[in-house]
């Protein structure tokens, strides 16, 4: 306990000695630490200051030192020291994919609880995510209609209105989504890319099949496409310009949960291909939305190659497709090499992560991996927030580094913030979130997850290019980008593959920002400190001390 408090104190001193940032107001929990914000105070992280010659920024967050902690370092001659640990050789010529950004989702549950805070506290929360003094989210999701994270089920038209004459956004849209989005835009100096995400067509457009699965009726394929076009128009009329959309949410996975009443619509890739080519694509084009990005799937990684191969067989459908959207929940059973194969076969298409969260499935997998329970996927229960959990933050560090190293162009978390129960949620399948709101005391808690996500959203600027730079040890060994228990093929049918939920060894990502600056983000999951070197042919050699169980960003 004393050691942890000393580390926090030293971290605050380091973080404030070289900047005007407001430090974390630390609160200890049963499992770790959070940073507390309220109407009068919230920690900040200003844009990195201009560097002197030979200088670099270091920002770190660790299990025992919450928030962003900052100091400077200097490039130097490695020959004068005893090199050890890990090193990365930065090569600006080894360019890979361009990053659109990192962000989260505007949901009814987020907007509802946000309104139960005072205006001053709301501003601190939104600024924490979107302002220059925050982590500057730029790639965000907006739910069309209701989802499981809504207060009630709703759609935008009256039953059986095939002409869509009754189409209207609802009070929930204006209060819980459009209002917060407008305020987020006013705080941000970055362009906010907003991806619309539809859970399902209205119930009357669907038929019910086996296990209560619901399917879009053929006679309503054009109706559903027109409905989505009208949603684009309605948001535009309210000063919200949407960048693109995913037309369905988890169109395959939810088939497997017959006892879970999440709103769903099954649409397999053959049907989606036909629907995009004949209905959605032409409808967007006809109504002036041809530049909007259609993102396929919005489901798990192990379906991704099958889905792309099926949809891309149609040149008509392919011309409307920007890329594919993935959810992280069962990535531990699907090789990231799937993403490499997609990029190899369809180099002009993009790959996005459109949802990640600590939900009942992830909570179950953590317990299975730690031997606490055996597998039981049929009846997931609620997942309450676990304030201060570093273990949950480690999963984000692992997922972000793994997927950015495998061609992913953008990454979205799920709910921006939730209440202390992890809701509200229509079906009691609550989740954890990077920020938890306590509406009773008018404060909110920034969790380790928030700061880990912030390293990537803040320092990998939109338009950054990922560089292919291997991690080595000084004995010449190159470390693999991945950690697996078993060798596997890239096909989703393969059952042998298992990826650890979080890395066991040091991993990194290197980005070249549009302004020519570099961001090297390093995850040290070990319980001991590690030595890390950056070798840059133009700048020289940089030594960085990696705190135990930490994420560190080096900027130069």
């Amino acid at each position: 306990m004393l050691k942890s408090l000393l580390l926090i104190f030293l971290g605050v001193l380091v973080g404030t000695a070289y900047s005007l940032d407001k430090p974390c107001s630390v609160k200890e929990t049963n499992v770790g630490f959070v940073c507390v914000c309220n109407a009068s105070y919230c920690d900040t992280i200003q844009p990195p200051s201009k560097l002197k010659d030979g200088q670099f920024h270091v920002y770190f967050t660790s299990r025992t030192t919450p928030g962003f902690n900052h100091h400077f370092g200097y490039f130097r001659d490695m020959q004068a020291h005893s090199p050890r640990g890990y090193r990365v050789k930065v090569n600006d010529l080894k360019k890979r994919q361009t990053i659109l950004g990192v962000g989260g989702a505007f949901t009814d549950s987020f907007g509802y609880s946000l309104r139960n805070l005072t205006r001053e506290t709301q501003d601190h929360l939104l600024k924490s995510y979107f302002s220059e003094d925050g982590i500057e989210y730029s790639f965000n999701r907006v739910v069309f209609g209701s989802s499981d994270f809504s207060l009630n089920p709703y759609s935008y038209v009256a039953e059986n209105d095939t002409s869509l004459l009754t189409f209207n956004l609802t009070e929930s849209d204006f209060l819980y989504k459009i209002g917060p989005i407008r305020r987020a835009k006013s705080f941000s100096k970055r362009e906010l890319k907003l991806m619309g995400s539809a859970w399902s067509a209205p119930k009357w457009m669907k038929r019910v099949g086996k296990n209560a699965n619901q399917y879009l009726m053929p006679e309503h394929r054009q109706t559903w496409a027109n409905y989505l076009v009208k949603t684009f128009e309605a948001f535009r009329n309210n000063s919200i310009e949407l960048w693109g959309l995913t037309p369905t949410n988890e169109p395959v996975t939810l088939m497997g949960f017959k006892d879970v009443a999440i709103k769903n619509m099954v649409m397999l890739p053959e049907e989606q291909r036909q629907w995009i080519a004949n209905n959605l694509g032409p409808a967007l084009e006809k109504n002036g939305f041809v530049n909007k990005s259609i993102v396929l799937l919005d489901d798990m990684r192990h379906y991704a190659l099958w889905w792309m191969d099926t949809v891309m067989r149609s040149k008509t459908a392919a011309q409307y497709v920007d890329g594919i959207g993935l959810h992280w929940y069962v990535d531990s059973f699907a090789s990231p090499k799937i993403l490499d194969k997609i990029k190899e076969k369809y180099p002009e298409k993009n790959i996005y992560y459109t949802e990640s969260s600590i939900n009942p499935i992830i909570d179950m997998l953590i317990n299975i991996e730690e031997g606490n329970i055996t597998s039981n996927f049929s009846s997931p229960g609620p997942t309450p927030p676990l304030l201060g959990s570093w273990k949950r933050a480690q999963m984000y560090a692992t997922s972000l580094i793994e997927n950015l190293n495998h061609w992913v162009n953008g990454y979205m978390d799920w709910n921006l913030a939730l209440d202390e129960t992890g809701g509200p949620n229509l079906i009691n399948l609550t989740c954890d979130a990077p920020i938890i709101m306590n509406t009773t005391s008018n404060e909110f808690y920034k969790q380790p997850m928030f700061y880990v996500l912030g390293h990537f959203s803040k320092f990998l600027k939109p338009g950054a290019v990922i560089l292919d730079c291997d991690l080595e040890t000084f004995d010449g060994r190159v470390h693999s980008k991945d950690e697996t228990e078993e060798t596997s093929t890239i096909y989703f049918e393969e059952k042998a593959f298992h990826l650890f939920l979080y890395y066991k060894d040091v991993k990194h990502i290197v980005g070249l920002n549009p302004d020519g600056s570099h961001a090297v983000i390093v995850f040290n999951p070990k319980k001991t400190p590690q030595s890390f070197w950056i070798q840059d042919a133009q700048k020289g050699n940089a030594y960085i001390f990696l705190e135990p169980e930490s994420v560190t960003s080096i900027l130069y």
Side-chain angles (χ1 to χ4, degrees), residues 260-391:
V260 178
I262 296 177
K263 189 176 179 182
N264 81 89
M265 184 172 75
V266 177
M267 182 179 277
L268 296 178
E270 294 83 359
E271 182 183 4
Q272 190 171 79
R273 177 183 66 203
Q274 184 180 4
W275 177 69
I276 289 172
N278 298 337
N279 307 106
L280 180 62
L284 289 170
E285 191 170 22
K286 179 182 177 182
N287 290 278
F289 294 107
V290 69
N291 63 328
K292 301 304 177 184
S293 300
I294 297 176
V295 177
L296 304 175
L297 187 57
D298 211 17
D299 209 323
M300 308 305 163
R301 186 161 77 189
H302 52 281
Y303 305 131
L305 184 58
W306 161 54
W307 208 276
M308 284 293 286
D309 281 345
T310 303
V311 174
M312 296 296 286
R313 288 193 192 111
S314 165
K315 290 183 179 180
T316 305
Q319 70 178 321
Y320 297 115
V321 172
D322 175 276
I324 191 164
L326 307 174
H327 295 186
W328 81 336
Y329 300 109
V330 290
D331 276 4
S332 56
F333 301 103
S335 171
K337 293 178 182 178
I338 292 171
L339 310 181
D340 300 337
K341 192 67 175 178
I342 289 172
K343 196 64 182 178
E344 177 188 330
K345 296 182 75 172
Y346 311 106
E348 74 285 2
K349 302 302 180 184
N350 295 314
I351 305 170
Y352 308 105
Y353 262 69
T354 49
E355 186 177 311
S356 53
S357 72
I358 305 297
N359 77 347
I361 296 298
I362 292 293
D363 193 44
M364 191 182 300
L365 289 172
I366 291 173
N367 281 292
I368 291 170
E369 184 156 306
E370 295 183 348
N372 297 329
I373 60 172
T374 56
S375 177
N376 176 16
F377 289 94
S378 60
S379 301
T383 301
L386 190 58
L387 286 179
S389 171
W390 181 253
K391 185 177 295 181

Side-chain angles (χ1 to χ4, degrees), residues 58-190:
V58 178
Y59 292 87
F60 73 92
T61 304
S62 76
R63 184 179 64 81
T64 56
T65 315
F68 288 106
N69 306 279
H70 175 240
H71 62 87
F72 292 104
Y74 290 86
F75 285 91
R76 51 183 167 167
D77 182 5
M78 189 182 295
Q79 302 305 318
H81 303 273
S82 300
R84 63 188 188 281
Y86 302 84
R87 69 176 171 186
V88 60
K89 297 177 181 178
V90 175
N91 185 342
D92 291 359
L93 299 179
K94 300 179 73 173
K95 295 179 179 178
R96 290 167 68 89
Q97 79 275 23
T98 300
I99 302 302
L100 272 69
V102 175
F106 291 91
T107 63
D108 291 335
S109 294
F110 162 65
Y112 171 79
S113 294
L114 183 72
R115 287 176 60 83
N116 289 316
L117 301 172
T118 66
R119 184 77 174 191
E120 295 79 11
T121 307
Q122 292 176 30
D123 283 350
H124 277 148
L125 194 156
L126 291 169
K127 286 179 179 179
S128 292
Y129 270 125
F130 298 102
S131 78
E132 272 195 320
D133 290 341
I135 61 175
E136 298 192 86
Y137 269 11
S138 58
F139 189 51
N140 303 283
R141 193 180 188 198
V142 185
V143 177
F144 287 175
S146 63
S147 70
D148 44 316
F149 279 92
S150 294
L151 280 70
N152 56 279
Y154 63 90
S155 68
Y156 297 146
V157 291
E159 188 169 351
N160 297 321
D161 177 16
T162 56
S163 62
L164 307 181
L165 294 175
T166 60
F167 187 98
N168 267 308
L169 297 181
T170 69
E171 184 179 43
S172 292
D173 292 289
F174 289 106
L175 293 179
Y176 308 145
K177 291 178 248 187
I178 290 173
I181 291 170
R182 284 175 174 169
R183 290 169 67 191
K185 289 175 67 178
S186 74
F187 292 135
S188 177
K189 291 197 174 181
R190 294 181 177 177

Side-chain angles (χ1 to χ4, degrees), residues 14 17 75 125 128 169 174 207 214 254 268 287 305 386 391 402 412 418 444 459 461 482 495 521 524 548:
V14 168
F75 285 91
L125 194 156
S128 292
L169 297 181
F174 289 106
R207 66 175 178 84
Q214 299 175 24
L254 291 178
L268 296 178
N287 290 278
L305 184 58
L386 190 58
K391 185 177 295 181
E402 173 187 281
M412 295 179 190
L418 293 169
F444 60 90
F459 303 132
K461 300 175 183 179
D482 307 309
K495 304 297 183 183
I521 305 174
N524 175 22

Side-chain angles (χ1 to χ4, degrees), residues 450-492:
F450 171 87
Y451 295 99
V452 167
L453 281 157
H455 278 271
F456 297 85
S457 63
K458 180 81 173 180
F459 303 132
L460 284 176
K461 300 175 183 179
V465 176
I466 298 301
L467 302 179
D468 186 11
C469 304
D470 289 330
L471 189 66
E472 304 174 352
T473 49
F474 281 90
D475 59 6
R477 287 184 296 124
V478 176
H479 280 241
S480 171
K481 287 185 174 70
D482 307 309
E483 293 178 8
T484 62
E485 273 189 351
E486 301 177 55
T487 303
S488 168
T489 69
I490 53 89
Y491 299 106
F492 79 93

